[in-house]
Every structure is written in C-alpha cells, then in structure tokens.
Amino acid sequence: MIKVLIADDEDLVRSGLRTILTSAGDIEVVAECDDGVQVADLVRLHRPAVVLLDIRMRTCDGLDALRALMALPEPPAVSMMTTFDVDEYVREALRIGANGFLLKDTEPAHIIKAVRDLATGGAVLDPKVAARVVTTVADGARAAEPARQLLSTLSDRELEVVGLVGHGLSNAEIGQQLHLSEATVKGYVSAVLGKIGAVNRVQAALVAYRGGLIA
C-alpha cells in the first residue's frame, strides 16, 4: 500500500482527495491535517511515502511545512496542491525541493497516477502544469544560457531521458519509449540530476525547458 498524508485547510478538498485515493485500492490515506504546523510530526509518526501539501494554509503555510519535511533524514515525496494564483509561492516551492504540483481540479485518475508516480520516485509534471511552472519561474534569456551549459554536459541518451522527464513521463514510461529497463532509466535519471545539480525531476525538467530542450 502507498501511504499518503493530505494537508489542506479546506475540509471539502481533503474529503475529495481521500475519496479519490482510497478508491484506488493500493493507496491508503494514513493521516490528514488542516495546518502546516502538524505536517512534519505526522510524517514522523505515520511514515507516508507521499505528502499532498496545500501551498497556502493558516498559521504555518505549505512552504514552511515543505522546509521542515526536506530537513528530515528521509523526506517523503511532496506534491504541492495549488491553484497557481500566487506565483512567488510556486517559485519558492521549486527551490526548496517540491517533487511536483497538482492543480486542485485535476482529474481523479490523474491524481491517482500522480501519487503512484511520486511513490516510485517520479514527479508530478502534467504538461499543462509543467508549462505553468516553467512560465512562473523562468527568468527569460538570463536563465537560458546557464541551462544550455548544463545540458551540454549530458550525453545524447541523457538528453533524451531528461527531455522525457520534462514531459512528465515516469521511469517505466521512459523505458518503454527508449526500449530500456526501468532500472537503467533510473540510473540515467540519477546521473542527470547529479550532472545538472537538480534536487529532483521537477528541477531537471525546468533546466530542460530553460535550455530549449523542450518547446
């Protein structure tokens, strides 16, 4: 079972997510909270693989909660829940190390797939979400040249892999497309992250967008 923690200050959002996730059969919602101040303690107690974290909550918002999670010895995969109405929050969440972003009106099947991908080391990068993230955080031409320099350190195969990461594909999906084993793809992804200095797949995708690898 994939253990999930939901942190959102809206009862209806938590209820809806709980209903969607528990319908999957292989996902268990082990804890919920309505304030970011509770998140780290609940993660220590329940050890979820995935945290769905509202980007804005009372008392302690999602960004502070994310910082606390990233400071843990073994942090869970974290996807921010957002409506993308405050761009600077998105920018900071990427910098801290969020594994992805989900819109609150995402289709149920996509939410379930996102949780499964996050639990296996993937990232939440639905194309429309990825495009919005890149638009939000990109710094135009000033960011393009450093990104191109980072991409120039990659092999042809690594460029193929990071391009597909940028399109939101999981390791298994990349393997199918490139005719590689999932373990081999995982090795390529780890190598790419190390070479370009990315914390996770979301940051790697951002470099791919900024460097012109993805239109």
Side-chain angles (χ1 to χ4, degrees):
M1 297 289 286
I2 300 170
K3 295 182 178 181
V4 177
L5 183 152
I6 302 170
D8 195 291
D9 60 2
E10 297 183 41
D11 292 342
L12 286 177
V13 172
R14 294 199 311 276
S15 176
L17 288 172
R18 185 192 326 118
T19 298
I20 290 168
L21 295 175
T22 55
S23 72
D26 60 339
I27 299 174
E28 179 186 6
V29 178
V30 294
E32 300 175 31
C33 62
D34 61 3
D35 199 319
V37 73
Q38 303 165 289
V39 171
D41 286 342
L42 288 173
V43 166
R44 292 187 188 96
L45 179 63
H46 296 281
R47 301 291 182 182
V50 177
V51 174
L52 301 182
L53 184 59
D54 188 10
I55 208 163
R56 292 194 297 178
M57 290 179 286
R58 58 179 179 271
T59 308
C60 173
D61 67 17
L63 295 180
D64 286 336
L66 179 61
R67 291 187 186 94
L69 291 179
M70 292 300 102
L72 294 176
E74 296 183 7
V78 181
S79 178
M80 309 305 292
M81 302 295 297
T82 179
T83 56
F84 285 111
D85 55 350
V86 183
D87 289 351
E88 63 268 22
Y89 279 66
V90 178
R91 188 194 310 270
E92 183 64 8
L94 266 178
R95 189 193 66 77
I96 296 168
N99 299 88
F101 299 86
L102 278 173
L103 297 178
K104 291 190 177 182
D105 60 356
T106 297
E107 292 292 326
H110 292 164
I111 292 176
I112 291 170
K113 180 181 184 301
V115 167
R116 288 171 175 160
D117 287 346
L118 287 164
T120 56
V124 180
L125 278 174
D126 180 274
K128 64 180 181 181
V129 177
R132 182 68 182 94
V133 169
V134 171
T135 300
T136 297
V137 302
D139 295 319
R142 290 179 300 170
E145 183 56 32
R148 284 194 289 267
Q149 291 177 1
L150 290 172
L151 293 175
S152 71
T153 67
L154 305 182
S155 68
D156 289 344
R157 179 62 88 185
E158 288 168 343
L159 288 171
E160 287 183 297
V161 169
V162 75
L164 294 174
V165 166
H167 284 294
L169 274 64
S170 67
N171 288 347
E173 291 167 334
I174 293 172
Q176 290 173 359
Q177 186 154 330
L178 299 181
H179 306 291
L180 299 171
S181 71
E182 189 171 349
T184 299
V185 173
K186 184 177 181 181
Y188 275 120
V189 171
S190 295
V192 167
L193 295 182
K195 285 184 177 181
I196 66 177
V199 173
N200 56 39
R201 295 164 78 102
V202 177
Q203 293 185 0
L206 179 59
V207 172
Y209 273 97
R210 283 174 165 172
L213 187 61
I214 303 171

